[in-house]
Amino acid sequence: VFSRWNGITNDSTFNSKSKMGSFNMKHVRPWTLSARDSEPHLKVDGPMVLFATSAMLEGGLSLTAFKLWAPCKKNLILMPGLCVPGTLGSKLTPKTKSVEVKGTFHKSKNKNRTEKIQVNCKIKQVINFSAHTDGKGIMDLIGKFSPKLVVLVHGEKPKMEELSKQIKVRMNTLACYPKINETIKLFKHNV
């Protein structure tokens, strides 16, 4: 999104060295393997960065990577500020030494088994980030990044309508809330 529509972000997002600035990640590639098929590819010897959901580490690729990477002290796991209480993600702190994980690696048939995972890697909390926020949180985020356009895509219509109006008036930023399955045209500015 950011590479294709870089005109809708503020100018400070991009530096003068490259048109894409912070988003010029030439070595970043989409992960196309399922969690089940990923295990051998996550066991590489050397540096690797993986952005995976769910941050709460309740399943999928993020849990597979956690099980493989947590025991190694050379690794680092960055956690978002918000994880639902009771989830594996919420139990991880810089002082965590081990955790019990329900379920198994994909090779076992026993899905009710509990595994104890040694946590020797570093655990760090990053900025208080959540994909779920209230109107104030959205307004704070808009204030921080000064986008040229905000597209609201999740929520009740009356609340999105009100928030869209607030964004336009208080932040002087174009905002819209398309209907489900509605296509909108984004414009591209010359950067």
Short mmCIF file of all heavy atoms in Angstrom, two decimals, residues 47-91:
data_model
loop_
_atom_site.label_atom_id
_atom_site.label_comp_id
_atom_site.label_asym_id
_atom_site.label_seq_id
_atom_site.Cartn_x
_atom_site.Cartn_y
_atom_site.Cartn_z
N PRO A 47 20.70 -14.27 10.13
CA PRO A 47 19.67 -13.30 10.51
C PRO A 47 18.39 -13.44 9.69
O PRO A 47 18.44 -13.79 8.52
CB PRO A 47 20.33 -11.95 10.27
CG PRO A 47 21.49 -12.21 9.39
CD PRO A 47 21.86 -13.63 9.53
N MET A 48 17.28 -13.20 10.36
CA MET A 48 15.99 -13.26 9.70
C MET A 48 15.02 -12.37 10.48
O MET A 48 15.07 -12.31 11.70
CB MET A 48 15.48 -14.70 9.70
CG MET A 48 14.20 -14.93 8.96
SD MET A 48 13.81 -16.69 8.99
CE MET A 48 12.96 -16.85 7.47
N VAL A 49 14.16 -11.69 9.77
CA VAL A 49 13.12 -10.87 10.38
C VAL A 49 11.80 -11.39 9.85
O VAL A 49 11.65 -11.62 8.65
CB VAL A 49 13.28 -9.38 10.02
CG1 VAL A 49 12.12 -8.56 10.57
CG2 VAL A 49 14.61 -8.85 10.52
N LEU A 50 10.84 -11.55 10.74
CA LEU A 50 9.53 -12.04 10.34
C LEU A 50 8.46 -11.17 10.98
O LEU A 50 8.45 -11.00 12.19
CB LEU A 50 9.35 -13.50 10.80
CG LEU A 50 7.99 -14.12 10.56
CD1 LEU A 50 7.75 -14.33 9.08
CD2 LEU A 50 7.89 -15.45 11.30
N PHE A 51 7.59 -10.59 10.15
CA PHE A 51 6.43 -9.87 10.64
C PHE A 51 5.26 -10.83 10.49
O PHE A 51 4.90 -11.19 9.37
CB PHE A 51 6.14 -8.62 9.80
CG PHE A 51 7.22 -7.59 9.88
CD1 PHE A 51 8.17 -7.49 8.88
CD2 PHE A 51 7.29 -6.71 10.95
CE1 PHE A 51 9.16 -6.54 8.93
CE2 PHE A 51 8.28 -5.75 11.02
CZ PHE A 51 9.22 -5.67 10.01
N ALA A 52 4.71 -11.30 11.60
CA ALA A 52 3.65 -12.29 11.51
C ALA A 52 2.55 -11.99 12.51
O ALA A 52 2.80 -11.54 13.61
CB ALA A 52 4.22 -13.69 11.79
N THR A 53 1.33 -12.26 12.12
CA THR A 53 0.21 -12.17 13.04
C THR A 53 -0.06 -13.60 13.50
O THR A 53 0.33 -14.54 12.85
CB THR A 53 -1.04 -11.60 12.34
OG1 THR A 53 -1.35 -12.43 11.25
CG2 THR A 53 -0.80 -10.18 11.87
N SER A 54 -0.62 -13.86 14.55
CA SER A 54 -1.16 -12.94 15.51
C SER A 54 -0.10 -12.62 16.55
O SER A 54 0.64 -13.49 17.00
CB SER A 54 -2.39 -13.58 16.14
OG SER A 54 -2.44 -13.52 17.51
N ALA A 55 -0.07 -11.35 16.97
CA ALA A 55 0.89 -10.92 17.97
C ALA A 55 0.64 -11.59 19.31
O ALA A 55 1.51 -11.64 20.16
CB ALA A 55 0.84 -9.41 18.12
N MET A 56 -0.55 -12.10 19.50
CA MET A 56 -0.88 -12.76 20.76
C MET A 56 -0.33 -14.18 20.78
O MET A 56 -0.41 -14.86 21.78
CB MET A 56 -2.39 -12.72 20.96
CG MET A 56 -2.85 -11.28 21.15
SD MET A 56 -4.59 -11.15 21.40
CE MET A 56 -4.93 -9.68 20.44
N LEU A 57 0.24 -14.61 19.67
CA LEU A 57 0.91 -15.91 19.53
C LEU A 57 -0.02 -17.09 19.83
O LEU A 57 0.38 -18.07 20.42
CB LEU A 57 2.15 -15.97 20.45
CG LEU A 57 3.22 -14.94 20.15
CD1 LEU A 57 4.30 -14.99 21.22
CD2 LEU A 57 3.83 -15.19 18.78
N GLU A 58 -1.24 -16.98 19.37
CA GLU A 58 -2.21 -18.03 19.65
C GLU A 58 -2.28 -19.08 18.55
O GLU A 58 -2.97 -20.07 18.71
CB GLU A 58 -3.60 -17.42 19.88
CG GLU A 58 -3.68 -16.68 21.20
CD GLU A 58 -3.46 -17.59 22.41
OE1 GLU A 58 -4.28 -18.49 22.65
OE2 GLU A 58 -2.46 -17.39 23.11
N GLY A 59 -1.59 -18.87 17.45
CA GLY A 59 -1.63 -19.87 16.39
C GLY A 59 -0.95 -19.37 15.14
O GLY A 59 -0.42 -18.26 15.09
N GLY A 60 -0.95 -20.21 14.13
CA GLY A 60 -0.42 -19.83 12.83
C GLY A 60 1.09 -19.68 12.80
O GLY A 60 1.82 -20.23 13.62
N LEU A 61 1.53 -18.90 11.84
CA LEU A 61 2.95 -18.71 11.59
C LEU A 61 3.67 -18.09 12.78
O LEU A 61 4.80 -18.47 13.10
CB LEU A 61 3.14 -17.85 10.33
CG LEU A 61 4.57 -17.58 9.90
CD1 LEU A 61 5.32 -18.88 9.64
CD2 LEU A 61 4.57 -16.70 8.67
N SER A 62 3.03 -17.13 13.46
CA SER A 62 3.71 -16.48 14.59
C SER A 62 4.00 -17.48 15.70
O SER A 62 5.07 -17.44 16.31
CB SER A 62 2.89 -15.31 15.12
OG SER A 62 1.63 -15.74 15.59
N LEU A 63 3.09 -18.39 15.98
CA LEU A 63 3.32 -19.39 17.02
C LEU A 63 4.40 -20.39 16.59
O LEU A 63 5.27 -20.76 17.37
CB LEU A 63 2.02 -20.12 17.37
CG LEU A 63 2.14 -21.20 18.45
CD1 LEU A 63 2.67 -20.62 19.76
CD2 LEU A 63 0.79 -21.87 18.67
N THR A 64 4.36 -20.79 15.32
CA THR A 64 5.39 -21.71 14.80
C THR A 64 6.77 -21.08 14.94
O THR A 64 7.71 -21.72 15.43
CB THR A 64 5.10 -22.05 13.32
OG1 THR A 64 3.81 -22.67 13.23
CG2 THR A 64 6.16 -22.99 12.76
N ALA A 65 6.90 -19.83 14.53
CA ALA A 65 8.20 -19.14 14.63
C ALA A 65 8.60 -18.98 16.10
O ALA A 65 9.76 -19.18 16.45
CB ALA A 65 8.12 -17.77 13.95
N PHE A 66 7.66 -18.62 16.96
CA PHE A 66 7.98 -18.46 18.38
C PHE A 66 8.55 -19.76 18.97
O PHE A 66 9.57 -19.73 19.66
CB PHE A 66 6.73 -18.04 19.18
CG PHE A 66 6.96 -18.06 20.66
CD1 PHE A 66 7.68 -17.03 21.26
CD2 PHE A 66 6.50 -19.10 21.44
CE1 PHE A 66 7.93 -17.05 22.62
CE2 PHE A 66 6.74 -19.13 22.80
CZ PHE A 66 7.46 -18.09 23.40
N LYS A 67 7.92 -20.87 18.70
CA LYS A 67 8.39 -22.16 19.24
C LYS A 67 9.81 -22.48 18.78
O LYS A 67 10.60 -23.04 19.54
CB LYS A 67 7.44 -23.29 18.82
CG LYS A 67 6.10 -23.25 19.51
CD LYS A 67 5.23 -24.37 18.97
CE LYS A 67 3.91 -24.44 19.67
NZ LYS A 67 3.08 -25.56 19.16
N LEU A 68 10.13 -22.12 17.56
CA LEU A 68 11.45 -22.41 17.02
C LEU A 68 12.51 -21.40 17.47
O LEU A 68 13.67 -21.75 17.67
CB LEU A 68 11.40 -22.44 15.49
CG LEU A 68 10.59 -23.58 14.89
CD1 LEU A 68 10.38 -23.35 13.40
CD2 LEU A 68 11.26 -24.91 15.14
N TRP A 69 12.13 -20.13 17.64
CA TRP A 69 13.09 -19.07 17.90
C TRP A 69 13.25 -18.73 19.37
O TRP A 69 14.30 -18.22 19.76
CB TRP A 69 12.72 -17.83 17.12
CG TRP A 69 12.82 -17.98 15.62
CD1 TRP A 69 13.25 -19.07 14.92
CD2 TRP A 69 12.50 -16.99 14.65
NE1 TRP A 69 13.21 -18.82 13.58
CE2 TRP A 69 12.75 -17.56 13.37
CE3 TRP A 69 12.01 -15.70 14.71
CZ2 TRP A 69 12.53 -16.87 12.19
CZ3 TRP A 69 11.80 -15.01 13.53
CH2 TRP A 69 12.07 -15.59 12.29
N ALA A 70 12.26 -18.98 20.19
CA ALA A 70 12.32 -18.60 21.61
C ALA A 70 13.49 -19.24 22.36
O ALA A 70 14.11 -18.58 23.20
CB ALA A 70 11.01 -18.91 22.31
N PRO A 71 13.86 -20.48 22.12
CA PRO A 71 14.95 -21.08 22.88
C PRO A 71 16.34 -20.50 22.62
O PRO A 71 17.25 -20.68 23.41
CB PRO A 71 14.91 -22.56 22.46
CG PRO A 71 13.52 -22.78 21.97
CD PRO A 71 13.14 -21.48 21.33
N CYS A 72 16.53 -19.78 21.53
CA CYS A 72 17.86 -19.28 21.16
C CYS A 72 18.08 -17.87 21.69
O CYS A 72 17.34 -16.95 21.36
CB CYS A 72 18.02 -19.30 19.65
SG CYS A 72 19.64 -18.68 19.12
N LYS A 73 19.14 -17.69 22.48
CA LYS A 73 19.41 -16.39 23.10
C LYS A 73 19.83 -15.32 22.09
O LYS A 73 19.83 -14.14 22.41
CB LYS A 73 20.44 -16.52 24.21
CG LYS A 73 21.81 -16.91 23.76
CD LYS A 73 22.74 -17.05 24.95
CE LYS A 73 24.12 -17.45 24.49
NZ LYS A 73 25.02 -17.62 25.62
N LYS A 74 20.16 -15.69 20.86
CA LYS A 74 20.54 -14.71 19.84
C LYS A 74 19.32 -14.02 19.24
O LYS A 74 19.45 -13.03 18.55
CB LYS A 74 21.32 -15.40 18.71
CG LYS A 74 22.69 -15.87 19.11
CD LYS A 74 23.37 -16.48 17.92
CE LYS A 74 24.77 -16.96 18.25
NZ LYS A 74 25.43 -17.54 17.07
N ASN A 75 18.13 -14.56 19.48
CA ASN A 75 16.92 -14.03 18.85
C ASN A 75 16.26 -12.94 19.70
O ASN A 75 16.48 -12.84 20.90
CB ASN A 75 15.91 -15.15 18.60
CG ASN A 75 16.41 -16.10 17.52
OD1 ASN A 75 17.14 -15.69 16.62
ND2 ASN A 75 16.04 -17.35 17.62
N LEU A 76 15.43 -12.15 19.05
CA LEU A 76 14.67 -11.08 19.69
C LEU A 76 13.24 -11.15 19.18
O LEU A 76 13.00 -11.28 17.98
CB LEU A 76 15.27 -9.72 19.32
CG LEU A 76 14.41 -8.49 19.61
CD1 LEU A 76 14.24 -8.29 21.11
CD2 LEU A 76 15.03 -7.25 18.97
N ILE A 77 12.29 -11.07 20.10
CA ILE A 77 10.89 -11.01 19.73
C ILE A 77 10.34 -9.68 20.21
O ILE A 77 10.43 -9.36 21.40
CB ILE A 77 10.09 -12.19 20.32
CG1 ILE A 77 10.61 -13.51 19.74
CG2 ILE A 77 8.59 -12.01 20.05
CD1 ILE A 77 9.95 -14.75 20.28
N LEU A 78 9.82 -8.89 19.27
CA LEU A 78 9.22 -7.60 19.60
C LEU A 78 7.72 -7.81 19.72
O LEU A 78 7.08 -8.32 18.80
CB LEU A 78 9.50 -6.58 18.50
CG LEU A 78 10.97 -6.22 18.29
CD1 LEU A 78 11.13 -5.32 17.08
CD2 LEU A 78 11.54 -5.55 19.52
N MET A 79 7.17 -7.40 20.84
CA MET A 79 5.74 -7.57 21.10
C MET A 79 5.04 -6.21 21.04
O MET A 79 5.55 -5.24 21.55
CB MET A 79 5.53 -8.19 22.49
CG MET A 79 6.16 -9.54 22.67
SD MET A 79 5.48 -10.81 21.58
CE MET A 79 3.79 -10.85 22.11
N PRO A 80 3.85 -6.17 20.45
CA PRO A 80 3.08 -4.93 20.48
C PRO A 80 2.63 -4.67 21.91
O PRO A 80 2.66 -5.56 22.75
CB PRO A 80 1.89 -5.20 19.56
CG PRO A 80 1.73 -6.67 19.62
CD PRO A 80 3.12 -7.24 19.80
N GLY A 81 2.24 -3.45 22.19
CA GLY A 81 1.86 -3.08 23.55
C GLY A 81 0.62 -3.78 24.07
O GLY A 81 0.46 -3.95 25.26
N LEU A 82 -0.26 -4.24 23.18
CA LEU A 82 -1.51 -4.81 23.64
C LEU A 82 -1.63 -6.26 23.23
O LEU A 82 -1.57 -6.60 22.05
CB LEU A 82 -2.70 -4.04 23.05
CG LEU A 82 -4.07 -4.63 23.38
CD1 LEU A 82 -4.39 -4.41 24.86
CD2 LEU A 82 -5.14 -4.04 22.52
N CYS A 83 -1.78 -7.13 24.21
CA CYS A 83 -2.13 -8.52 23.96
C CYS A 83 -3.24 -8.86 24.95
O CYS A 83 -3.19 -8.48 26.11
CB CYS A 83 -0.93 -9.45 24.18
SG CYS A 83 0.28 -9.39 22.87
N VAL A 84 -4.23 -9.56 24.47
CA VAL A 84 -5.37 -9.91 25.32
C VAL A 84 -4.88 -10.75 26.50
O VAL A 84 -4.10 -11.69 26.32
CB VAL A 84 -6.43 -10.69 24.50
CG1 VAL A 84 -7.55 -11.21 25.38
CG2 VAL A 84 -6.97 -9.82 23.38
N PRO A 85 -5.31 -10.40 27.72
CA PRO A 85 -4.91 -11.17 28.90
C PRO A 85 -5.24 -12.65 28.72
O PRO A 85 -6.29 -13.01 28.19
CB PRO A 85 -5.74 -10.55 30.03
CG PRO A 85 -6.02 -9.16 29.57
CD PRO A 85 -6.16 -9.26 28.07
N GLY A 86 -4.31 -13.49 29.15
CA GLY A 86 -4.49 -14.93 29.05
C GLY A 86 -3.89 -15.55 27.81
O GLY A 86 -3.73 -16.75 27.73
N THR A 87 -3.54 -14.73 26.82
CA THR A 87 -2.92 -15.27 25.61
C THR A 87 -1.43 -15.46 25.86
O THR A 87 -0.86 -14.88 26.78
CB THR A 87 -3.11 -14.31 24.41
OG1 THR A 87 -2.45 -13.07 24.69
CG2 THR A 87 -4.58 -14.08 24.11
N LEU A 88 -0.81 -16.27 25.04
CA LEU A 88 0.62 -16.50 25.16
C LEU A 88 1.38 -15.18 25.04
O LEU A 88 2.28 -14.90 25.82
CB LEU A 88 1.11 -17.47 24.09
CG LEU A 88 2.61 -17.71 24.00
CD1 LEU A 88 3.17 -18.23 25.32
CD2 LEU A 88 2.93 -18.67 22.87
N GLY A 89 0.98 -14.32 24.12
CA GLY A 89 1.65 -13.03 23.94
C GLY A 89 1.62 -12.19 25.20
O GLY A 89 2.59 -11.50 25.52
N SER A 90 0.52 -12.25 25.95
CA SER A 90 0.41 -11.45 27.17
C SER A 90 1.31 -11.97 28.30
O SER A 90 1.61 -11.25 29.24
CB SER A 90 -1.04 -11.40 27.65
OG SER A 90 -1.44 -12.65 28.19
N LYS A 91 1.73 -13.21 28.18
CA LYS A 91 2.57 -13.82 29.23
C LYS A 91 4.06 -13.56 29.03
O LYS A 91 4.86 -13.82 29.91
CB LYS A 91 2.33 -15.33 29.27
CG LYS A 91 0.91 -15.69 29.65
CD LYS A 91 0.67 -17.19 29.51
CE LYS A 91 -0.80 -17.49 29.76
NZ LYS A 91 -1.11 -18.89 29.48
#
